[in-house]
Amino acid sequence: MNRFLPLALGLTLLPGFAAAAPRVIPGFATPESVLIDGDRRYVSNIGATLDPLAKDGDGFISSLGADGTLIDRHAFPADGTTLDAPKGMAITGGRLYVADIDRVIGFDIATGIRGFEASLPAGGPSLANDLAATGDGALLLSDTLRGAVYRLDPATRGWTLLTDAIPGANGIVYDAATRAALVAGLGADFSGGDLYTLPEGGPARRVEGGPHGILDGLARLPDGRLLVSDWIALSPPTPGRLLLLRPDGTDPTPLDLGIPILGPADFGAAADGTLWIPATLGDAVVVAPPS
């Protein structure tokens, strides 16, 4: 039985989000991230059990259409190779890149064949979590256990440490106009973290007046505002929430989508404002349409 139990509560939503009940798409295996690319949605699946560090080879990435139709449950890998616990994803240069515990894997989008792999720098346990493309071919990667953000150059497989001062670094978005990143943290001991800004060449700074919680996914909406997900509690499992932020990351305001979401992780926001939210503990993806 699917562990996600939607409840149509009919609660009031903030402006910009539909009063219609969100759609629940079941059938995933601990989904962690949704990446939107044109008319495709890619969903990373950690595997049969929620163990973000298990090197068990049972992870995979699913492909869906814009209407939620499942195109291929195991779209990646498509070449007989394996993923362990894939999480955040990004696309650049015709490749789909995914963070997988202590490495970044890249697949050719057209064929599903692996064409890239880069292991994280040595330095102790790591939890490669989210990825963001910078627009110039590079990638930014958050490492939750190291509280770090790295820049990866796929052409050289070279790593540059940008900061190691974001406890529990998790979701990340990049603004090419300001050449700065925003990074959500879940805390050094997974008990609560904050939102940080990371300007190019500068130190990471906590956003005063920003959200605090077990922060995971982070996305910028079409109107410039930010949205971040908060698990609230890891044990016992507790329905999480999404927080709407001003463009600078301040003034967190909860969104009520009308149904509980167990483990809202690295969600995606489509160009029309539709939210695609992985319910990690529910083996489902929740699609919340715009108004």
Side-chain angles (χ1 to χ4, degrees):
M1 178 182 294
N2 190 280
R3 292 168 285 164
F4 185 83
L5 300 176
L7 301 176
L9 301 179
L11 300 178
T12 301
L13 306 184
L14 292 179
F17 290 86
R23 177 183 178 187
V24 178
I25 305 174
F28 298 95
T30 318
E32 203 282 334
S33 179
V34 178
L35 176 66
I36 296 174
D37 180 44
D39 61 357
R40 291 295 177 95
R41 283 83 176 106
Y42 298 106
V43 181
S44 64
N45 296 259
I46 291 175
T49 59
L50 178 57
D51 187 344
L53 295 172
K55 294 189 175 183
D56 49 17
D58 72 343
F60 59 94
I61 298 171
S62 304
S63 173
L64 291 82
D67 62 355
T69 300
L70 181 64
I71 296 172
D72 190 343
R73 189 170 187 265
H74 289 81
F76 305 94
D79 55 2
T81 60
T82 61
L83 288 170
D84 293 315
K87 300 175 187 68
M89 298 171 285
I91 290 176
T92 185
R95 279 180 179 158
L96 172 68
Y97 292 91
V98 61
D100 190 15
I101 304 179
D102 56 3
R103 59 184 181 168
V104 173
I105 304 294
F107 296 99
D108 181 88
I109 294 176
T111 65
I113 294 175
R114 178 180 303 195
F116 178 90
E117 181 172 349
S119 298
L120 268 70
S126 61
L127 176 54
N129 205 320
D130 199 14
L131 285 169
T134 62
D136 61 359
L139 297 166
L140 300 183
L141 171 81
S142 62
D143 184 331
T144 301
L145 293 184
R146 299 182 188 182
V149 175
Y150 294 92
R151 179 183 173 93
L152 170 63
D153 181 351
T156 64
R157 290 177 169 76
W159 296 92
T160 302
L161 175 65
L162 302 182
T163 184
D164 58 2
I166 301 178
N170 198 339
I172 184 168
V173 295
Y174 180 76
D175 187 337
T178 63
R179 301 179 69 86
L182 282 165
V183 185
L186 49 77
D189 56 0
F190 290 52
S191 64
D194 303 289
L195 183 66
Y196 289 79
T197 181
L198 180 60
E200 184 177 40
R205 296 189 296 271
R206 186 173 68 88
V207 175
E208 297 291 339
H212 179 82
I214 303 177
L215 306 181
D216 196 319
L218 182 64
R220 191 171 293 280
L221 301 176
D223 64 6
R225 293 178 297 173
L226 290 163
L227 198 61
V228 66
S229 60
D230 177 8
W231 283 53
I232 298 181
L234 297 177
S235 181
T238 304
R241 61 182 179 175
L242 271 67
L243 300 170
L244 186 67
L245 312 172
R246 292 180 178 175
D248 62 0
T250 63
D251 192 24
T253 304
L255 291 179
D256 198 333
L257 298 177
I259 58 174
I261 299 179
L262 289 172
D266 184 24
F267 59 91
D272 66 355
T274 301
L275 303 177
W276 292 70
I277 310 161
T280 302
L281 302 181
D283 293 338
V285 170
V286 176
V287 183
S291 59

mmCIF file of all heavy atoms in Angstrom, residues 26-50:
data_model
loop_
_atom_site.group_PDB
_atom_site.id
_atom_site.type_symbol
_atom_site.label_atom_id
_atom_site.label_comp_id
_atom_site.label_asym_id
_atom_site.label_seq_id
_atom_site.Cartn_x
_atom_site.Cartn_y
_atom_site.Cartn_z
ATOM 1 N N PRO A 26 1.378 8.177 -7.893
ATOM 2 C CA PRO A 26 2.054 7.155 -7.096
ATOM 3 C C PRO A 26 3.019 6.333 -7.937
ATOM 4 O O PRO A 26 3.179 6.546 -9.138
ATOM 5 C CB PRO A 26 0.889 6.301 -6.602
ATOM 6 C CG PRO A 26 -0.076 6.352 -7.750
ATOM 7 C CD PRO A 26 0.046 7.741 -8.350
ATOM 8 N N GLY A 27 3.665 5.378 -7.270
ATOM 9 C CA GLY A 27 4.442 4.373 -7.987
ATOM 10 C C GLY A 27 5.931 4.591 -8.028
ATOM 11 O O GLY A 27 6.634 3.905 -8.781
ATOM 12 N N PHE A 28 6.440 5.506 -7.207
ATOM 13 C CA PHE A 28 7.880 5.752 -7.184
ATOM 14 C C PHE A 28 8.534 5.001 -6.023
ATOM 15 O O PHE A 28 7.852 4.346 -5.229
ATOM 16 C CB PHE A 28 8.153 7.255 -7.100
ATOM 17 C CG PHE A 28 7.623 8.012 -8.287
ATOM 18 C CD1 PHE A 28 6.366 8.623 -8.231
ATOM 19 C CD2 PHE A 28 8.344 8.094 -9.461
ATOM 20 C CE1 PHE A 28 5.851 9.309 -9.319
ATOM 21 C CE2 PHE A 28 7.841 8.775 -10.570
ATOM 22 C CZ PHE A 28 6.589 9.377 -10.496
ATOM 23 N N ALA A 29 9.851 5.092 -5.929
ATOM 24 C CA ALA A 29 10.598 4.379 -4.895
ATOM 25 C C ALA A 29 11.469 5.378 -4.137
ATOM 26 O O ALA A 29 12.618 5.623 -4.506
ATOM 27 C CB ALA A 29 11.449 3.266 -5.505
ATOM 28 N N THR A 30 10.894 5.970 -3.098
ATOM 29 C CA THR A 30 11.554 7.004 -2.309
ATOM 30 C C THR A 30 12.046 8.132 -3.212
ATOM 31 O O THR A 30 13.244 8.381 -3.342
ATOM 32 C CB THR A 30 12.721 6.431 -1.482
ATOM 33 O OG1 THR A 30 12.355 5.182 -0.915
ATOM 34 C CG2 THR A 30 13.114 7.384 -0.358
ATOM 35 N N PRO A 31 11.132 8.829 -3.875
ATOM 36 C CA PRO A 31 11.538 9.913 -4.782
ATOM 37 C C PRO A 31 12.140 11.077 -4.003
ATOM 38 O O PRO A 31 11.617 11.468 -2.952
ATOM 39 C CB PRO A 31 10.222 10.304 -5.456
ATOM 40 C CG PRO A 31 9.174 9.963 -4.456
ATOM 41 C CD PRO A 31 9.665 8.707 -3.782
ATOM 42 N N GLU A 32 13.234 11.642 -4.516
ATOM 43 C CA GLU A 32 13.922 12.715 -3.785
ATOM 44 C C GLU A 32 13.916 14.036 -4.514
ATOM 45 O O GLU A 32 13.904 15.091 -3.887
ATOM 46 C CB GLU A 32 15.363 12.293 -3.499
ATOM 47 C CG GLU A 32 16.015 13.008 -2.334
ATOM 48 C CD GLU A 32 16.487 14.423 -2.656
ATOM 49 O OE1 GLU A 32 16.765 14.707 -3.839
ATOM 50 O OE2 GLU A 32 16.608 15.252 -1.707
ATOM 51 N N SER A 33 13.923 14.021 -5.833
ATOM 52 C CA SER A 33 14.056 15.265 -6.587
ATOM 53 C C SER A 33 13.233 15.203 -7.867
ATOM 54 O O SER A 33 13.100 14.138 -8.476
ATOM 55 C CB SER A 33 15.529 15.512 -6.929
ATOM 56 O OG SER A 33 15.690 16.693 -7.681
ATOM 57 N N VAL A 34 12.669 16.355 -8.253
ATOM 58 C CA VAL A 34 12.008 16.492 -9.551
ATOM 59 C C VAL A 34 12.694 17.620 -10.311
ATOM 60 O O VAL A 34 12.822 18.737 -9.802
ATOM 61 C CB VAL A 34 10.513 16.816 -9.409
ATOM 62 C CG1 VAL A 34 9.889 16.999 -10.793
ATOM 63 C CG2 VAL A 34 9.785 15.713 -8.651
ATOM 64 N N LEU A 35 13.142 17.330 -11.520
ATOM 65 C CA LEU A 35 13.765 18.319 -12.399
ATOM 66 C C LEU A 35 12.870 18.512 -13.609
ATOM 67 O O LEU A 35 12.469 17.549 -14.266
ATOM 68 C CB LEU A 35 15.149 17.842 -12.842
ATOM 69 C CG LEU A 35 15.880 18.745 -13.852
ATOM 70 C CD1 LEU A 35 16.238 20.083 -13.228
ATOM 71 C CD2 LEU A 35 17.123 18.050 -14.385
ATOM 72 N N ILE A 36 12.565 19.770 -13.914
ATOM 73 C CA ILE A 36 11.701 20.093 -15.055
ATOM 74 C C ILE A 36 12.559 20.591 -16.210
ATOM 75 O O ILE A 36 13.376 21.498 -16.043
ATOM 76 C CB ILE A 36 10.662 21.149 -14.655
ATOM 77 C CG1 ILE A 36 9.736 20.573 -13.578
ATOM 78 C CG2 ILE A 36 9.856 21.611 -15.866
ATOM 79 C CD1 ILE A 36 8.754 21.567 -13.011
ATOM 80 N N ASP A 37 12.369 19.972 -17.376
ATOM 81 C CA ASP A 37 13.113 20.354 -18.571
ATOM 82 C C ASP A 37 12.143 20.360 -19.748
ATOM 83 O O ASP A 37 11.860 19.313 -20.336
ATOM 84 C CB ASP A 37 14.270 19.387 -18.826
ATOM 85 C CG ASP A 37 15.065 19.753 -20.071
ATOM 86 O OD1 ASP A 37 15.359 20.948 -20.253
ATOM 87 O OD2 ASP A 37 15.389 18.840 -20.859
ATOM 88 N N GLY A 38 11.626 21.547 -20.094
ATOM 89 C CA GLY A 38 10.658 21.628 -21.178
ATOM 90 C C GLY A 38 9.416 20.837 -20.854
ATOM 91 O O GLY A 38 8.766 21.060 -19.833
ATOM 92 N N ASP A 39 9.084 19.874 -21.719
ATOM 93 C CA ASP A 39 7.891 19.065 -21.500
ATOM 94 C C ASP A 39 8.200 17.752 -20.789
ATOM 95 O O ASP A 39 7.366 16.843 -20.756
ATOM 96 C CB ASP A 39 7.184 18.780 -22.823
ATOM 97 C CG ASP A 39 8.056 17.997 -23.800
ATOM 98 O OD1 ASP A 39 9.242 17.732 -23.470
ATOM 99 O OD2 ASP A 39 7.568 17.653 -24.889
ATOM 100 N N ARG A 40 9.384 17.625 -20.212
ATOM 101 C CA ARG A 40 9.758 16.430 -19.461
ATOM 102 C C ARG A 40 9.952 16.765 -17.982
ATOM 103 O O ARG A 40 10.380 17.863 -17.631
ATOM 104 C CB ARG A 40 11.048 15.807 -20.007
ATOM 105 C CG ARG A 40 10.909 15.174 -21.376
ATOM 106 C CD ARG A 40 9.961 13.979 -21.348
ATOM 107 N NE ARG A 40 9.763 13.408 -22.672
ATOM 108 C CZ ARG A 40 10.462 12.383 -23.142
ATOM 109 N NH1 ARG A 40 11.407 11.827 -22.410
ATOM 110 N NH2 ARG A 40 10.219 11.924 -24.356
ATOM 111 N N ARG A 41 9.640 15.791 -17.144
ATOM 112 C CA ARG A 41 9.912 15.864 -15.724
ATOM 113 C C ARG A 41 10.709 14.632 -15.348
ATOM 114 O O ARG A 41 10.283 13.496 -15.641
ATOM 115 C CB ARG A 41 8.615 15.903 -14.899
ATOM 116 C CG ARG A 41 7.926 17.280 -14.905
ATOM 117 C CD ARG A 41 7.067 17.470 -16.124
ATOM 118 N NE ARG A 41 6.354 18.743 -16.072
ATOM 119 C CZ ARG A 41 6.680 19.811 -16.818
ATOM 120 N NH1 ARG A 41 7.716 19.750 -17.649
ATOM 121 N NH2 ARG A 41 5.990 20.922 -16.740
ATOM 122 N N TYR A 42 11.843 14.841 -14.716
ATOM 123 C CA TYR A 42 12.690 13.740 -14.290
ATOM 124 C C TYR A 42 12.597 13.619 -12.774
ATOM 125 O O TYR A 42 12.674 14.607 -12.050
ATOM 126 C CB TYR A 42 14.136 13.966 -14.724
ATOM 127 C CG TYR A 42 14.303 14.040 -16.226
ATOM 128 C CD1 TYR A 42 14.538 15.249 -16.861
ATOM 129 C CD2 TYR A 42 14.210 12.888 -17.004
ATOM 130 C CE1 TYR A 42 14.676 15.320 -18.241
ATOM 131 C CE2 TYR A 42 14.349 12.951 -18.386
ATOM 132 C CZ TYR A 42 14.590 14.169 -18.994
ATOM 133 O OH TYR A 42 14.721 14.232 -20.367
ATOM 134 N N VAL A 43 12.435 12.377 -12.298
ATOM 135 C CA VAL A 43 12.283 12.109 -10.869
ATOM 136 C C VAL A 43 13.376 11.139 -10.430
ATOM 137 O O VAL A 43 13.463 10.013 -10.942
ATOM 138 C CB VAL A 43 10.900 11.500 -10.562
ATOM 139 C CG1 VAL A 43 10.760 11.255 -9.060
ATOM 140 C CG2 VAL A 43 9.783 12.402 -11.070
ATOM 141 N N SER A 44 14.209 11.568 -9.490
ATOM 142 C CA SER A 44 15.230 10.674 -8.955
ATOM 143 C C SER A 44 14.639 9.844 -7.825
ATOM 144 O O SER A 44 13.917 10.364 -6.964
ATOM 145 C CB SER A 44 16.446 11.458 -8.456
ATOM 146 O OG SER A 44 16.112 12.296 -7.360
ATOM 147 N N ASN A 45 14.928 8.550 -7.849
ATOM 148 C CA ASN A 45 14.421 7.601 -6.856
ATOM 149 C C ASN A 45 15.594 7.016 -6.072
ATOM 150 O O ASN A 45 16.476 6.367 -6.659
ATOM 151 C CB ASN A 45 13.664 6.458 -7.534
ATOM 152 C CG ASN A 45 12.401 6.928 -8.257
ATOM 153 O OD1 ASN A 45 11.310 6.792 -7.747
ATOM 154 N ND2 ASN A 45 12.573 7.479 -9.459
ATOM 155 N N ILE A 46 15.592 7.219 -4.752
ATOM 156 C CA ILE A 46 16.668 6.681 -3.923
ATOM 157 C C ILE A 46 16.655 5.159 -3.932
ATOM 158 O O ILE A 46 17.707 4.516 -3.878
ATOM 159 C CB ILE A 46 16.548 7.219 -2.487
ATOM 160 C CG1 ILE A 46 16.871 8.724 -2.476
ATOM 161 C CG2 ILE A 46 17.462 6.477 -1.527
ATOM 162 C CD1 ILE A 46 16.672 9.397 -1.137
ATOM 163 N N GLY A 47 15.478 4.568 -3.995
ATOM 164 C CA GLY A 47 15.369 3.107 -4.035
ATOM 165 C C GLY A 47 14.320 2.605 -3.062
ATOM 166 O O GLY A 47 13.489 3.360 -2.553
ATOM 167 N N ALA A 48 14.380 1.317 -2.777
ATOM 168 C CA ALA A 48 13.334 0.668 -1.996
ATOM 169 C C ALA A 48 13.252 1.176 -0.568
ATOM 170 O O ALA A 48 12.182 1.164 0.042
ATOM 171 C CB ALA A 48 13.554 -0.843 -1.998
ATOM 172 N N THR A 49 14.366 1.613 0.000
ATOM 173 C CA THR A 49 14.371 2.097 1.380
ATOM 174 C C THR A 49 14.986 3.488 1.439
ATOM 175 O O THR A 49 15.821 3.857 0.606
ATOM 176 C CB THR A 49 15.177 1.162 2.302
ATOM 177 O OG1 THR A 49 16.531 1.073 1.839
ATOM 178 C CG2 THR A 49 14.558 -0.234 2.320
ATOM 179 N N LEU A 50 14.566 4.260 2.438
ATOM 180 C CA LEU A 50 15.084 5.611 2.614
ATOM 181 C C LEU A 50 16.418 5.538 3.345
ATOM 182 O O LEU A 50 16.497 5.650 4.558
ATOM 183 C CB LEU A 50 14.099 6.481 3.401
ATOM 184 C CG LEU A 50 14.562 7.911 3.698
ATOM 185 C CD1 LEU A 50 14.907 8.650 2.421
ATOM 186 C CD2 LEU A 50 13.508 8.664 4.483
#
